[in-house]
Amino acid sequence: MIAPSDTIQPGVIAEHVTELSAGEISDIVDACTQAIVEGGGFGWLTPPDRPDMEKYWRGVLLMPGRHLFVSRVDGVISGAAQLIETPANLEAQRHSAQISGHFVAPWARGRGNGKAIVRSIEYFAREAGYSVLKLDLRETQEAAIALYNGLGYSRWGINPYYAMVDGKMIEGYYYTKKIQDTDQ
C-alpha cells in the first residue's frame, strides 16, 4: 500500500488487483482510452477499439509474472501500471522487476494517483524480494518523467530512436531505482 507520509488527496487509493468486475473493466478501459487520447497512454498513440481494449486488460490479469496495480478516485479506476517479473531464464537479473504501462486518466491527474500507484508497486516489489525496479518512458511524457525523478528514480540511459510519433523520432529514457538491499 502507500506510506502514510505520501501526499495523496483524500479519496485516492492504489492497490494490487488480481481480478476486475465488468464495471471495473469498463472503468479501466475508459481511463486508459482518455489517457491515450491526451497523449499519456503507454505505447498506444491511438486507442484500440473497446472490445480489443477489454481483451487486453483481461489478458493482463491472466499473464504469469505480470501484476496489475490500479488507482481509484472515490472507487472509480483512475489509472494503472503493471509490475513485470523478470523471466526465470534471466537468472542473473532476478533481483529486478519492470514497471510498465503506467497511466492516469486526465480527469484524475494532480491528485496523487501516479504517486500512489508507484508507492504501491514499490511496497509489493519489496515484499516479493525485489531490490531494483526499472522502467522506460518517452521523452514526451513530461509528467511521468517528473513523477519518477521526484520519487528517486535515476535516468541511466537514452535511446535516441525509441519511438515514432507523428512521423518524428522520439527519445526514450531508461530509469532505475534500488528499493532495498538484499543478498538474493
Side-chain angles (χ1 to χ4, degrees):
M1 285 309 216
I2 306 162
S5 62
D6 286 335
T7 54
I8 310 296
Q9 287 189 3
V12 174
I13 64 160
E15 61 186 338
H16 176 232
V17 295
T18 57
E19 58 186 39
L20 294 170
S21 69
E24 291 169 325
I25 289 284
S26 182
D27 287 350
I28 200 168
V29 167
D30 289 344
C32 184
T33 299
Q34 292 166 17
I36 294 166
V37 168
E38 292 293 319
F42 55 98
W44 282 308
L45 300 175
T46 55
D49 64 25
R50 190 167 195 91
D52 287 343
M53 185 85 76
E54 289 174 359
K55 285 181 208 170
Y56 172 81
W57 289 109
R58 285 188 183 97
V60 165
L61 294 170
L62 296 174
M63 293 180 70
R66 190 172 289 248
H67 303 277
L68 179 61
F69 295 79
V70 299
S71 63
R72 300 174 193 268
V73 174
D74 298 326
V76 177
I77 293 179
S78 52
Q82 299 165 50
L83 179 72
I84 303 170
E85 296 178 13
T86 299
N89 66 311
L90 298 176
E91 187 177 357
Q93 296 175 26
R94 296 284 298 156
H95 66 286
S96 66
Q98 173 99 17
I99 297 174
S100 181
H102 192 180
F103 72 89
V104 174
W107 61 266
R109 293 180 184 157
R111 299 178 184 187
N113 283 273
K115 181 186 274 189
I117 291 169
V118 175
R119 291 295 191 210
S120 188
I121 288 171
E122 289 176 345
Y123 177 82
F124 179 91
R126 277 191 298 274
E127 291 295 306
Y130 291 103
S131 58
V132 174
L133 291 176
K134 51 193 175 181
L135 62 111
D136 53 89
L137 301 167
R138 289 192 312 257
E139 69 176 305
T140 55
Q141 296 173 299
E142 294 174 3
I145 291 167
L147 171 68
Y148 284 104
N149 285 335
L151 292 174
Y153 286 75
S154 299
R155 184 167 69 185
W156 62 266
I158 298 173
N159 175 351
Y161 313 110
Y162 182 78
M164 182 72 72
V165 178
D166 296 327
K168 180 182 176 199
M169 203 64 71
I170 302 295
E171 288 185 343
Y173 301 150
Y174 295 87
Y175 287 83
T176 189
K177 180 178 179 181
K178 189 171 185 182
I179 58 171
Q180 73 179 339
D181 289 324
T182 181
D183 292 333
Q184 295 178 353

